[in-house]
Amino acid sequence: MNTVLLPLLVAAPLLGAALLTVLPAGRVARSLFLGTSAGALAAGLALLAATRDGQVYAHQVGLWPAGVAIPFVADTFSALMVTTTALLVLVCSAFAIATGEAGRRFFAPLVLVLSAGVYGALLTADLFNLFVFVEVMLLPSYGLMAIAGTLHGLRGGRTYVTANLLTSTVFLAGVALVYGTAGTVHLGELAGAAQDSPVVAVAMGLVLLAMTVKAAVVPVHGWLVRTYTAPSPAVTALFSGLHTKVAIYVVYRLYALVFDGEASLLWIGLVVFTATMAVGVLGAVGETTTRSILVFHMVSQIGYILLGVALFTELGLMAGIFYLVHHMVVKASLFLSTGAIEHVHGTGDLERLRGAARGQPLLALAFLGAALSLAGLPPFSGFVAKLTLVAAALDAGQWTVAAIAVAVSLITLMSMLKIWGSVFWGPPPGAGPAPEPEPAQAPETAGGTATAAPAATRAPARIRTGLVLPAVALTAVTLCVGLGAQALLDLSAQAAAHLLDTSAYVEAVTNR
């Protein structure tokens, strides 16, 4: 495989974004917008095919020696993440086109710059360049938060900017301390450094702390639930699959590479991530809008994903990586299906949406499939993800953690049924018992005018197919993954093997 493909995954979206800033809105611009993400998806699949046997590919930009050049490296884990990210960007972009949001000035360029930052963060093997790519990812996100133009969106954007600027400052301080104590920020040269030097461990701990804030781990999850309800449904779905997941990827990568899976610190993760599972799902219980419920469940599911690295066994890491890919797809599908309803009806309030999706069988199936997958029911990918993760916890002797994971799944199912019962199954607003038969002649009022018969309940507004298909596509993916889970389990096992034994990664990125 030509390793030049790795930096092109960053360069191509940036070039596409530059072209879209000067192209007029129209078919050509839409084709370029979708085509860029489709190309990234094809590149991700090529990377996945090339790395599935354990091969690791690295490229030094400009052909400078390792330690001087900007290093890009791809193994099975990063290839999985690139492929899933490209799929989500493509589907969410199609949804934005269907809603008309993609026609807004600079929307499409901002999305492509965001995707370029994500690809760079997933592929870089340099701690400072990781910080740079995270900032490249965040800067267009600020614009996407504000582009909605509503007061609620601007308030959410203010919280989002404040939280992420503070976190980025902590992140940069951690990078500086790592460089000051270890003399390098090259991940290949930092392998095992935290075990060799307690000072480096503290410095890298600051970096991991910043990443857990970006991942919205309890107790620093409040910024997420305040901000992800503010932007448009398309932007929320995009953010749900990208931002926190990059932070989770970094936690997996750095703890495996720099800390070498240090067992004495794993209890901290077990406590914090189990609390994240429980607090997130309990926070959703009292919510009354579709997006706020889904955002709280997003916090809960982040706890499940990070539980894999807290166990740090082969089965645990495999389960966590499988869960990460599953969750990216399922959560985006849920945001897109409820987002289609919100776009048409102008609200996400459950009471005001009662029966809104009746007569929308395709959308109802898309939501129901993704909801059952999120709760961990067969035959969807969520069943395999949770079963494997619970098995990993039991295998590690963490019976309490396994019991909490099962209990949280039951509460998750209740919350999904709450949305289903209100939006998709409940009667429309104003619907009630059948009216009594009217007499042949309606009685006259005092003014001599006949009273009108009660107005019939209005049928739910029809939701266009273009708004429904993105959610359907992602639900189909989670169903296919659930039915053919062994393929993703094998890839996840290979990715976990690279985290347990980082020698191939280090050798590739340092040219040893």
Side-chain angles (χ1 to χ4, degrees):
M1 191 197 75
N2 193 339
T3 58
V4 177
L5 177 67
L6 301 180
L8 280 179
L9 271 166
V10 177
L14 292 177
L15 178 59
L19 292 174
L20 284 172
T21 58
V22 297
L23 283 175
R27 183 175 299 177
V28 174
R30 290 195 297 270
S31 299
L32 178 60
F33 184 31
L34 294 177
T36 304
S37 295
L41 177 58
L45 290 171
L47 280 178
L48 203 54
T51 58
R52 70 178 185 274
D53 60 350
Q55 186 69 33
V56 181
Y57 294 91
H59 181 82
Q60 311 293 338
V61 175
L63 300 181
W64 289 94
V68 178
I70 298 174
F72 284 82
V73 60
D75 60 0
T76 311
F77 190 15
S78 54
L80 262 176
M81 291 296 294
V82 167
T83 304
T84 311
T85 296
L87 173 65
L88 295 186
V89 173
L90 179 61
V91 172
C92 292
S93 298
F95 182 83
I97 290 174
T99 61
E101 188 173 12
R104 288 179 174 175
R105 186 69 172 161
F106 299 123
F107 179 88
L110 288 172
V111 170
L112 290 184
V113 174
L114 165 61
S115 67
V118 174
Y119 300 140
L122 295 173
L123 294 172
T124 188
D126 181 278
L127 202 56
F128 179 74
N129 287 310
L130 173 63
F131 167 77
V132 171
F133 283 123
V134 168
E135 292 308 299
V136 171
M137 177 180 74
L138 287 173
L139 287 174
S141 302
Y142 302 151
L144 290 170
M145 288 288 295
I147 207 169
T150 63
L151 183 59
H152 180 53
L154 292 175
R155 286 173 177 168
R158 182 180 61 189
T159 304
Y160 184 84
V161 170
T162 302
N164 280 282
L165 283 179
L166 177 61
T167 307
S168 294
T169 303
V170 175
F171 186 13
L172 184 58
V175 172
L177 287 173
V178 170
Y179 184 76
T181 55
T184 182
V185 288
H186 192 280
L187 292 185
E189 297 172 355
L190 284 171
Q195 282 197 332
D196 298 334
S197 170
V199 180
V200 175
V202 172
M204 188 57 71
L206 196 59
V207 174
L208 290 180
L209 174 63
M211 288 296 99
T212 56
V213 175
K214 286 186 182 294
V217 171
V218 168
V220 287
H221 65 292
W223 69 270
L224 185 76
V225 298
R226 289 177 177 270
T227 58
Y228 273 38
T229 57
S232 67
V235 174
T236 300
L238 189 65
F239 283 9
S240 73
L242 272 59
H243 279 288
T244 54
K245 307 314 177 292
V246 168
I248 291 171
Y249 168 84
V250 172
V251 171
Y252 268 81
R253 179 69 73 189
L254 294 184
Y255 197 78
L257 191 64
V258 183
F259 285 85
D260 200 21
E262 174 58 48
S264 63
L265 302 175
L266 294 180
W267 69 271
I268 301 174
L270 287 172
V271 172
V272 173
F273 303 149
T274 303
T276 301
M277 285 193 301
V279 171
V281 77
L282 293 176
V285 171
E287 295 299 315
T288 58
T289 66
T290 55
R291 254 202 279 183
S292 59
I293 292 173
L294 293 177
V295 170
F296 267 107
H297 279 297
M298 185 176 168
V299 173
S300 177
Q301 301 297 306
I302 286 167
Y304 277 98
I305 299 168
L306 285 170
L307 191 59
V309 74
L311 295 171
F312 213 86
T313 61
E314 183 177 4
L315 184 58
L317 290 170
M318 180 190 74
I321 294 169
F322 186 101
Y323 207 118
L324 173 58
V325 175
H326 140 77
H327 180 259
M328 291 172 70
V329 173
V330 168
K331 183 56 70 171
S333 178
L334 288 170
F335 277 122
L336 290 177
S337 58
T338 56
I341 299 169
E342 186 177 336
H343 174 75
V344 171
H345 294 273
T347 181
D349 187 272
L350 294 182
E351 279 301 312
R352 295 173 62 187
L353 285 175
R354 284 188 298 117
R358 298 192 82 179
Q360 311 285 343
L362 197 58
L363 186 62
L365 284 175
F367 175 85
L368 183 62
L372 294 178
S373 187
L374 187 74
L377 297 181
F380 300 96
S381 60
F383 172 72
V384 181
K386 289 194 175 179
L387 179 64
T388 311
L389 194 61
V390 169
L394 293 175
D395 184 64
Q398 300 295 334
W399 295 82
T400 303
V401 173
I404 293 174
V406 173
V408 168
S409 293
L410 296 176
I411 302 175
T412 301
L413 178 60
M414 292 170 58
S415 292
M416 293 300 102
L417 292 177
K418 179 180 178 180
I419 298 178
W420 170 263
S422 296
V423 179
F424 293 92
W425 193 254
E436 294 293 330
E438 293 291 331
Q441 293 289 333
E444 295 186 352
T445 62
T449 304
T451 56
T457 303
R458 288 183 296 176
R462 193 72 188 169
I463 300 175
R464 291 182 290 111
T465 304
L467 296 173
V468 177
L469 289 181
V472 172
L474 293 180
T475 298
V477 170
T478 185
L479 177 60
C480 291
V481 171
L483 294 175
Q486 191 59 52
L488 184 55
L489 284 171
D490 290 342
L491 291 171
S492 300
Q494 183 61 66
H498 282 154
L499 295 178
L500 287 169
D501 181 6
T502 60
S503 58
Y505 185 96
V506 172
E507 181 180 352
V509 78
T510 55
N511 291 327
R512 292 176 185 169

